[in-house]
Amino acid sequence: GEQVEQLPSILRVQEGSSASINCTYENSASNYFPWYKQEPGENPKLIIDIRSNMERKQTQGLIVLLDKKAKRFSLHITDTQPGDSAMYFCAASITSSGQKLVFGQGTILKVYL
Amino acid sequence: NSKVIQTPRYLVKGQGQKAKMRCIPEKGHPVVFWYQQNKNNEFKFLINFQNQEVLQQIDMTEKRFSAECPSNSPCSLEIQSSEAGDSALYLCASSLQVNQDTQYFGPGTRLLVL
């Protein structure tokens, strides 16, 4: 299978706290895992990605973890701000399938004051 | 972020009509992907190209869509006979290479089939 499961579907956090979104994938051949942020009426924008040769990547308040054994990857947003409120999508892809992205169902993140 | 250009931004068609949208990939990016995001925010891969050649496409695309990426011209995706269920955001992405490379999305074409 090629499904990607994403949880939670809705996440409410207080400003300044951290937010975590988890994804699992079925195909162990998956080798590339991007995260996209999408605001209402806009296109998805890449915020961070990780390749299968890494277990952790961090950039500007974002941390991505990859556990290949468990087929699980996660996004952690530290010190959340109201501007982080948006929909977030994880995705996975496999070279042998032409690198098409298979997306999770999305997480609505709401950061409240 | 992305330098992918998509036109038109909005498209309204009646059922049975053709619906054509275009994509100019980022300069120097030979790999192009088309995805559909429906009203439930679910993504569906439609087709991808490397230069002018189709790498992979789903059954629906093969049966109902016409897609091409000619050299020196925009890529295009055309629904031959629009259905209400085709109403969605159509996203084009490009990348430098097929293997594990970042895909940047264009602004999308929002299609409404009445």
Side-chain angles (χ1 to χ4, degrees):
Chain A
E2 292 187 334
Q3 277 200 316
V4 174
E5 296 292 324
Q6 182 173 347
L7 288 171
S9 52
I10 300 175
L11 182 57
R12 293 184 181 88
V13 299
Q14 190 166 29
E15 182 182 10
S17 65
S18 61
S20 295
I21 304 170
N22 299 293
C23 290
T24 56
Y25 57 96
E26 292 185 343
N27 195 323
S28 56
S30 299
N31 56 12
Y32 175 65
F33 308 90
W35 287 87
Y36 291 88
K37 176 183 179 183
Q38 187 174 25
E39 302 192 61
E42 298 286 321
N43 60 340
K45 291 179 173 59
L46 181 77
I47 54 173
I48 191 169
D49 56 11
I50 190 166
R51 291 171 173 78
S52 55
N53 60 349
M54 300 176 72
E55 293 178 350
R56 186 180 191 276
K57 185 174 180 180
Q58 180 169 359
T59 178
Q60 294 179 335
L62 302 175
I63 301 170
V64 170
L65 303 175
L66 173 62
D67 181 345
K68 286 179 288 186
K69 196 173 179 182
K71 291 190 281 188
R72 182 171 56 218
F73 58 114
S74 56
L75 173 69
H76 306 272
I77 306 172
T78 59
D79 188 24
T80 53
Q81 300 298 311
D84 293 324
S85 296
M87 194 140 188
Y88 290 80
F89 292 93
C90 65
S93 72
I94 310 167
T95 303
S96 62
S97 73
Q99 217 68 49
K100 69 178 184 186
L101 294 174
V102 178
F103 286 84
Q105 296 86 349
T107 297
I108 298 172
L109 173 64
K110 296 184 181 178
V111 180
Y112 60 89
L113 299 174
Chain B
N1 194 294
S2 171
K3 298 182 178 67
V4 176
I5 298 171
Q6 284 189 253
T7 57
R9 292 294 305 274
Y10 301 94
L11 193 54
V12 181
K13 294 290 178 181
Q15 293 192 52
Q17 288 187 315
K18 290 189 177 188
K20 189 169 187 175
M21 51 207 94
R22 292 176 177 82
C23 170
I24 300 175
E26 191 165 332
K27 193 174 181 181
H29 283 193
V31 186
V32 173
F33 299 80
W34 286 97
Y35 297 88
Q36 178 199 66
Q37 187 181 24
N38 67 18
K39 63 179 181 181
N40 296 321
N41 291 311
E42 297 163 333
F43 288 84
K44 182 185 290 183
F45 165 81
L46 297 176
I47 190 169
N48 60 351
F49 292 84
Q50 182 161 13
N51 296 312
Q52 291 79 54
E53 291 197 19
V54 174
L55 292 175
Q56 193 176 19
Q57 62 182 320
I58 63 171
D59 279 349
M60 178 182 81
T61 308
E62 196 165 6
K63 290 175 182 170
R64 301 185 52 237
F65 290 57
S66 173
E68 59 176 2
C69 266
S71 62
N72 301 317
S73 290
C75 297
S76 64
L77 180 71
E78 183 175 40
I79 306 173
Q80 296 301 299
S81 178
S82 301
E83 299 171 359
D86 295 326
S87 297
L89 179 66
Y90 289 82
L91 292 159
C92 176
S94 71
S95 68
L96 196 52
Q97 56 184 3
V98 173
N99 186 21
Q100 290 191 35
D101 208 10
T102 309
Q103 293 180 32
Y104 294 100
F105 287 101
T109 292
R110 196 167 291 279
L111 172 65
L112 175 61
V113 181
L114 300 173

